[in-house]
Amino acid sequence: MAIDASDILAVTKKVTQKWTKARKAEERGSRSRYSRQYIYSDRINFTEIADEIIPAGYDHASGGGQYTVSMRQMYYACREAFKEKADREIEAAYFSQTLLRQYLNRNPEATATWKITADPRGTLTIPNTAHEVRVPCGTLAIEAHLRYASTHINPLVAPSLMPIEWPSLEEGTRYQAVLYIEKEGFEPLLNEARIAERFDLAILSCKGQSVVAARQFVDHVCRVDGGVPLFVVHDFDKAGFEISKRLTSVSDWAEEQDRVAYRFENEINVTDLGLRLADIKKYDLASERCKFKGRRDWNSDKFCTAEEEAFLRSGKRVELNAFTSPQFIEWLEGHLTKRLPSRLIPDDEALEAAYRRALVVAEINRAIEAASDDAIEHAIEAAIPKTLRRKLKAAMKESGGAWDTALYAIARKQGLSHDED
Amino acid sequence: MQSTKNATNKTASSPKCKKTRATSQQKKQGLSPRSKDPVLNRTTFKTSREMDFFSEKELKNQTAHNIDEWPLVIIKELVDNALDACEEGDIAPAIEVSADATGITILDNGPGLPEVTLQGALDFTVRTSNREAYVSPCRGAQGNALKTILPMARVVDPENGQLIIETLGKRHTIRCGCDPISQRAVVHHDIVDLPKCKNRESRNGTINQALSCGTSIRIEWGARPNSEWPFGDHYPHDDDFARQFRELVQGFAVFNPHLSLTLNWFNKRTTWEATDPSWNKWKPHKPTSAHWYELAHLERLIGAYVTHDRDHDSDRLVSDLVAEFDGLIGSQKRSKVLEDAGCHRVKLSDLVVGERLDSARISGLLKAMQVHTRPVKSTRLGIIGEDHLRARLLAMGVVPESFQYSRKESKDGLPWVLESAFGWKGDESEDWRTIISGANWSAAIKNPFRSFGATGEGLESALTDMRASAFEPVVFILHLAHPRVEYTDRGKSSLVVGAKKQGLS
């Protein structure tokens, strides 16, 4: 008989089974006699602790319900209180997936207005719409989509006017800076606080180390000559500093190993707004354990101060998620207000072009408004063809389009013949 | 250290190491110096190889480890060799590993490193190994550890790097380098006589009778500021590196109940006393079993013997080869094997047809050897045992009630033994999870069970699933004894374990 992975797993499971059982009992909060004797000296019911600490944790993290909070922020908001009561650390995954979930299920009414989000994972794509509709598969986005999708549509409401926004997506005319965040979970909070709109910011995020596409983007739009500034927000950990560095430059290691993923064409106008030790002290942010695996000369590029390096080497890190939502917004706004004191107004050339376009749009929109009343009246008076469904099927077969585009073709044809009459 | 056929002869002729002296009668009978158990006198085979050892890049290829990890490679390879040497000499091993600002020293109480083995290691034009062609549960299979370590000192410190070997009454100071013009190896080898071997003092100044013979190997470099080492970016006083170093040394104490081991880390001494000095395992000089071989393995062994004999103007009989296998030393059984295989009075060179080995005949020979011998039971490979592992884990701070032990053995086919132990260090412990894993009584630099199974799931993730995550203060031990351990890489950092067809079958 050959040795197989199952043999290794079997002996591993056999020696750890009592430990696993005790830990699972601890997680469930059941008062396992065995877990008491073997692992713990006191009876601890996690469910009771959760009931005690989670409401206060949410209140703290959301600023009294003002902002959305992520699962991770909830974890940080409750972690210390949990440790105080249980006399041990709790793991983030167990907190968010078990304790918090169970609490929400037990208290549906009390938590009905709570806005707790998980990172979007995946995308919902809706076909055959006027614009591509892609909804991030996150709690808030899906809820918003369901609300919008179920709203009643008034068929005779005045048609949309031409969009009045200047259609350019170019840096300097659409946004005055790029904010890079090393996490994706902050999007709902940033939306709520209207950070992008208020500061005319493009927001770019990746999970962890930036992808080539992100580097390519900042290389082009955040170049020193003619680009817009790039602000990088990251955790206070070794990876965070490296993420910031690698977003705008190639590492020596990558050069030596011939592993350069993207070669920058421009010098980047970058400012590191990452979390620092001073912020951690100011906001009294909680740290977590983290192995520091780094060369002795890791900080030769002066990523951080000697005190900060000592903190990191002591096996600790602090995540952005350690902020409560109000703290995070206050901290971020502080940085942005200092660096972007005024709103975006593009250069003269773009301004003149936009003004001329605004004149055109204004006139067209006036015409649309004027024509709307007649159009609605005609629509109300129009007879619905008895063979509409059959005509629609034929039109769809001919065009290959979705039902509503084919329907529009029929209506337009009907409208034209009406005009001829 | 490395004991070979030549090594045994050399040791026997030394007046200073009577313990390992073997009578000519014993040798004729193929018996070990200390017992009447049959002995495999391994032969060192040579194949051409040159200039693979004289740059960081080449040594990285040879060892499959970056320069940062070379101190660990030195420890692993030299302790492996020391253990093998002691076991071949039937000596309960006592080993001391010392690390200081200018070097790493491994001191053992084995029968000594024979001059001929050292000379073989210094000949960089050939590859020497008394392991590679045999199938057996050995700590090392390539047999080139010393040859790899010899030039390391010079590569990391071209000015002052050297290897100092004290053995069999002599001190060898070796500086290996490479002639930049001719691209040939340049070896400076100074030999001086040492004072009498007995009562020799160990490096730290304490007299240790157990280490009064044996071998001391020190890889040495020039002093650097702040006691830095010349191995990349690893700083010896960095807690993480010191822990890694200690855990590797400790791993040997965990896997070898007969070993007394001392770690002297910058004058901070830790000792693990042997829990069972007479502990028994399948030793490197025991005959191998025909049941461990497949046709390709036996062909490789026969091919190596034929080449070796050609180099030495000899041509052994198939009968001589058969006598080296477990259970076939007796002439009666040997005759039956030779009769079944049609190899009476056949020479090994007769199994070569043209430039190829005669696979059909060799297959018949292997089948006959397997028919006339019993497969080796798994337990004969060696069981580390619950008592020893309990002692080691408790010494690491494990709460006694939490200790768990498990063992699994093969029921048929190739023998193997998996042993596992687990313990929890208590609520007060600030340590993180410690995994000590390895194969054939050798500690591994990296967990060799990192990936197994069709999904590539590894030991770490399995333990995390079992709530023994990296942050838990637990100790987990996993050891595999197997005659045909295969690794995915040269650095032996990952075992081949998976679906049965791909596994250690």
Side-chain angles (χ1 to χ4, degrees):
Chain A
M1 190 180 82
I3 187 163
D4 190 72
S6 63
D7 298 314
I8 295 170
L9 284 173
V11 293
T12 305
K13 278 183 181 164
K14 195 161 182 191
V15 295
T16 54
Q17 65 184 3
K18 286 184 179 172
W19 165 266
T20 310
K21 192 177 169 187
R23 287 301 314 268
K24 283 184 176 173
E26 176 195 21
E27 290 169 4
R28 284 194 306 272
S30 68
R31 298 176 179 187
S32 160
R33 182 181 174 83
Y34 181 77
S35 65
R36 286 205 314 273
Q37 286 181 339
Y38 173 35
I39 308 291
Y40 306 112
S41 54
D42 301 317
R43 290 182 175 203
I44 294 166
N45 188 317
F46 283 14
T47 308
E48 288 171 7
I49 293 176
D51 286 346
E52 284 180 50
I53 64 171
I54 286 177
Y58 177 74
D59 196 52
H60 176 62
S62 65
Q66 184 189 0
Y67 289 113
T68 297
V69 291
S70 68
M71 292 270 195
R72 190 83 177 164
Q73 284 178 299
M74 275 298 290
Y75 163 69
Y76 277 106
C78 297
R79 196 178 71 165
E80 286 307 309
F82 184 91
K83 193 176 176 185
E84 210 168 276
K85 291 190 181 294
D87 197 24
R88 61 185 54 95
E89 297 276 356
I90 187 165
E91 289 189 4
Y94 173 63
F95 174 81
S96 53
Q97 287 161 24
T98 307
L99 285 187
L100 182 58
R101 174 61 49 213
Q102 288 173 344
Y103 180 83
L104 295 174
N105 291 343
R106 280 197 305 277
N107 303 280
E109 288 173 10
T111 60
T113 58
W114 288 17
K115 294 176 287 184
I116 299 177
T117 62
D119 285 358
R121 292 196 178 182
T123 308
L124 168 69
T125 306
I126 309 282
N128 301 322
T129 55
H131 306 286
E132 187 185 38
V133 173
R134 290 169 64 84
V135 184
C137 215
T139 318
L140 289 184
I142 291 292
E143 279 176 6
H145 165 71
L146 291 174
R147 272 198 305 276
Y148 175 77
S150 63
T151 49
H152 176 70
I153 294 172
N154 182 348
L156 300 177
V157 77
S160 303
L161 301 177
M162 267 189 83
I164 57 174
E165 293 83 5
W166 176 239
S168 170
L169 295 180
E170 193 184 20
E171 70 277 10
T173 54
R174 186 75 277 147
Y175 52 91
Q176 59 174 337
V178 175
L179 177 70
Y180 180 88
I181 301 189
E182 69 153 293
K183 292 174 187 300
E184 290 205 309
F186 282 99
E187 194 186 340
L189 180 56
L190 294 170
N191 288 342
E192 268 186 345
R194 299 186 59 249
I195 293 291
E197 292 91 331
R198 285 163 48 217
F199 290 94
D200 300 304
L201 273 176
I203 297 177
L204 175 64
S205 64
C206 291
K207 281 192 171 179
Q209 197 59 267
S210 55
V211 295
V212 168
R215 296 176 194 185
Q216 187 182 9
F217 177 74
V218 301
D219 188 19
H220 283 84
V221 307
C222 302
R223 61 197 180 277
V224 166
D225 294 327
V228 295
L230 168 67
F231 303 125
V232 183
V233 171
H234 58 79
D235 292 337
F236 182 68
D237 58 11
K238 178 171 166 276
F241 284 109
E242 287 172 355
I243 285 167
S244 172
K245 196 79 179 170
R246 294 291 78 81
L247 178 62
T248 58
S249 62
V250 174
S251 71
D252 292 343
W253 177 86
E255 290 281 12
E256 285 164 13
Q257 302 288 323
D258 194 20
R259 299 274 295 273
V260 178
Y262 178 77
R263 199 166 286 287
F264 291 89
E265 291 172 8
N266 302 296
E267 193 183 338
I268 312 296
N269 176 9
V270 60
T271 305
D272 188 328
L273 300 184
L275 197 52
R276 306 303 292 255
L277 201 53
D279 302 317
I280 292 161
K281 287 175 181 169
K282 180 182 171 186
Y283 289 99
D284 192 23
L285 301 180
S287 65
E288 65 170 2
R289 293 205 290 181
C290 168
K291 271 190 183 177
F292 184 93
K293 284 189 177 175
R295 296 172 167 217
R296 259 181 303 128
D297 62 353
W298 169 76
N299 197 25
S300 59
D301 286 348
K302 299 294 175 203
F303 287 124
C304 55
T305 65
E307 189 190 1
E308 289 175 328
E309 186 184 357
F311 180 93
L312 296 175
R313 286 190 183 275
S314 70
K316 288 189 284 188
R317 67 190 282 256
V318 179
E319 280 193 88
L320 290 167
N321 283 312
F323 279 124
T324 65
S325 292
Q327 282 175 336
F328 178 72
I329 295 299
E330 179 193 304
W331 173 78
L332 186 61
E333 281 180 347
H335 278 306
L336 295 176
T337 307
K338 206 184 297 175
R339 287 163 180 86
L340 301 172
S342 55
R343 294 294 304 270
L344 168 69
I345 298 177
D347 60 25
D348 289 349
E349 192 183 339
L351 202 57
E352 186 186 326
Y355 182 70
R356 291 190 189 288
R357 182 178 185 277
L359 290 174
V360 172
V361 170
E363 195 165 333
I364 291 171
N365 281 346
R366 269 199 300 273
I368 291 173
E369 281 168 344
S372 288
D373 291 346
D374 284 349
I376 291 169
E377 205 173 305
H378 288 152
I380 291 169
E381 287 171 358
I384 305 297
K386 286 182 180 171
T387 55
L388 180 60
R389 189 169 290 274
R390 204 168 64 210
K391 282 183 176 175
L392 182 61
K393 279 184 181 171
M396 286 172 74
K397 196 172 179 182
E398 190 183 327
S399 70
W403 69 272
D404 45 1
T405 52
L407 189 73
Y408 175 77
I410 294 168
R412 182 179 159 81
K413 201 171 168 186
Q414 182 70 25
L416 288 173
S417 64
H418 181 265
D419 288 347
E420 283 166 10
D421 292 343
Chain B
M1 296 288 295
Q2 285 183 342
S3 182
T4 62
K5 182 176 180 179
N6 293 327
T8 311
N9 292 339
K10 182 75 180 175
T11 305
S13 65
S14 168
K16 291 163 190 166
C17 293
K18 291 176 184 174
K19 284 179 185 174
T20 56
R21 189 192 297 256
T23 65
S24 58
Q25 188 64 26
Q26 279 176 319
K27 277 194 281 181
K28 269 184 192 171
Q29 292 171 354
L31 299 178
S32 74
R34 285 228 162 177
S35 72
K36 291 187 177 178
D37 291 338
V39 170
L40 166 66
N41 289 316
R42 290 175 186 266
T43 302
T44 301
F45 303 114
K46 288 184 182 180
T47 51
S48 178
R49 169 188 258 186
E50 195 170 5
M51 297 309 298
D52 281 354
F53 302 92
F54 294 100
S55 70
E56 183 183 332
K57 188 182 165 191
E58 294 295 347
L59 279 179
K60 189 179 156 187
N61 289 339
Q62 286 291 323
T63 62
H65 286 280
N66 288 328
I67 190 168
D68 297 2
E69 294 170 329
W70 286 3
L72 305 176
V73 173
I74 291 166
I75 298 303
K76 177 177 164 47
E77 299 297 349
L78 293 183
V79 174
D80 272 351
N81 283 3
L83 279 164
D84 284 349
C86 291
E87 287 173 1
E88 288 179 359
D90 283 323
I91 299 164
I95 296 173
E96 182 175 315
V97 177
S98 306
D100 55 57
T102 58
I104 297 172
T105 309
I106 282 82
L107 184 62
D108 70 58
N109 64 333
L113 178 64
E115 183 94 24
V116 67
T117 304
L118 182 56
Q119 293 300 344
L122 286 170
D123 182 357
F124 292 97
T125 61
V126 293
R127 176 174 171 172
T128 60
S129 173
N130 62 359
R131 294 275 185 276
E132 183 262 333
Y134 299 95
V135 178
S136 67
C138 282
R139 291 190 176 83
Q142 291 170 22
N144 67 341
L146 187 58
K147 186 164 285 193
T148 311
I149 286 164
L150 273 165
M152 255 182 201
R154 206 69 176 171
V155 169
V156 297
D157 185 354
E159 295 296 317
N160 304 299
Q162 59 184 7
L163 199 81
I164 301 165
I165 300 176
E166 293 179 6
T167 187
L168 302 174
K170 287 189 167 58
R171 170 182 289 173
H172 304 257
T173 304
I174 301 164
R175 295 178 198 87
C176 293
C178 168
D179 184 331
I181 297 166
S182 67
Q183 288 291 299
R184 301 296 299 259
V186 178
V187 178
H188 299 283
H189 184 181
D190 301 324
I191 308 173
V192 293
D193 287 334
L194 285 170
K196 276 197 167 182
C197 179
K198 279 186 180 175
N199 298 326
R200 181 162 64 82
E201 292 185 358
S202 65
R203 285 197 173 274
N204 64 1
T206 60
I207 296 170
N208 189 339
Q209 282 293 343
L211 302 176
S212 61
C213 209
T215 302
S216 158
I217 300 186
R218 176 174 175 78
I219 181 163
E220 193 170 80
W221 51 86
R224 289 163 173 247
N226 302 321
S227 304
E228 283 182 18
W229 281 2
F231 298 97
D233 294 302
H234 271 174
Y235 184 59
H237 295 301
D238 179 278
D239 286 348
D240 204 37
F241 179 70
R243 183 188 50 75
Q244 221 181 336
F245 196 97
R246 182 194 156 89
E247 279 183 4
L248 180 65
V249 174
Q250 184 172 247
F252 284 96
V254 167
F255 293 146
N256 293 278
H258 59 333
L259 169 64
S260 291
L261 183 60
T262 298
L263 170 63
N264 182 349
W265 177 256
F266 289 82
N267 289 325
K268 191 180 169 191
R269 291 171 69 84
T270 310
T271 298
W272 295 269
E273 293 293 347
T275 59
D276 183 3
S278 58
W279 178 66
N280 203 15
K281 66 180 274 288
W282 196 279
K283 292 178 181 171
H285 61 296
K286 272 193 179 178
T288 61
S289 166
H291 295 271
W292 299 344
Y293 288 75
E294 286 181 2
L295 177 61
H297 302 120
L298 189 60
E299 284 186 343
R300 169 72 191 109
L301 181 64
I302 290 172
Y305 268 125
V306 169
T307 307
H308 179 266
D309 287 352
R310 278 178 188 165
D311 291 347
H312 293 81
D313 290 330
S314 62
D315 191 2
R316 75 190 67 201
L317 291 166
V318 173
S319 170
D320 297 331
L321 171 78
V322 171
E324 288 191 344
F325 282 86
D326 181 55
L328 292 173
I329 288 167
S331 57
Q332 225 175 347
K333 276 202 173 175
R334 234 185 309 159
S335 291
K336 284 180 185 170
V337 169
L338 295 172
E339 195 178 316
D340 286 2
C343 289
H344 259 304
R345 301 221 162 268
V346 170
K347 294 189 170 177
L348 276 190
S349 60
D350 295 335
L351 300 179
V352 180
V353 181
E355 293 300 314
R356 290 172 172 241
L357 289 162
D358 187 341
S359 294
R361 239 174 146 188
I362 294 171
S363 176
L365 176 65
L366 178 61
K367 198 175 172 188
M369 287 199 294
Q370 289 174 342
V371 165
H372 292 286
T373 54
R374 286 184 189 167
V376 174
K377 284 185 181 172
S378 299
T379 50
R380 282 183 69 199
L381 298 180
I383 305 291
I384 297 170
E386 182 173 354
D387 291 345
H388 170 74
L389 291 176
R390 181 190 294 277
R392 289 286 183 254
L393 262 66
L394 296 198
M396 290 165 77
V398 159
V399 175
E401 294 77 19
S402 71
F403 175 81
Q404 296 291 324
Y405 169 82
S406 175
R407 189 173 94 202
K408 194 169 171 44
E409 298 153 18
S410 63
K411 301 294 178 209
D412 48 34
L414 273 182
W416 53 259
V417 183
L418 263 174
E419 288 179 271
S420 179
F422 177 84
W424 171 63
K425 289 186 169 179
D427 265 339
E428 300 303 313
S429 173
E430 292 188 350
D431 292 345
W432 291 1
R433 182 180 67 194
T434 303
I435 297 176
I436 298 178
S437 55
N440 290 342
W441 312 283
S442 177
I445 295 172
K446 291 177 182 169
N447 167 25
F449 301 95
R450 287 195 308 281
S451 173
F452 49 71
T455 61
E457 185 192 25
L459 188 59
E460 278 98 342
S461 60
L463 285 170
T464 301
D465 287 347
M466 294 161 203
R467 303 296 193 270
S469 69
F471 301 117
E472 299 289 356
V474 296
V475 181
F476 178 79
I477 310 289
L478 185 62
H479 178 263
L480 171 68
H482 197 295
R484 230 160 57 201
V485 168
E486 291 169 31
Y487 292 90
T488 58
D489 61 342
R490 211 184 173 93
K492 301 176 199 166
S493 68
S494 187
L495 274 166
V496 178
V497 181
K500 290 185 178 178
K501 278 187 181 172
Q502 300 164 336
L504 304 164
S505 54

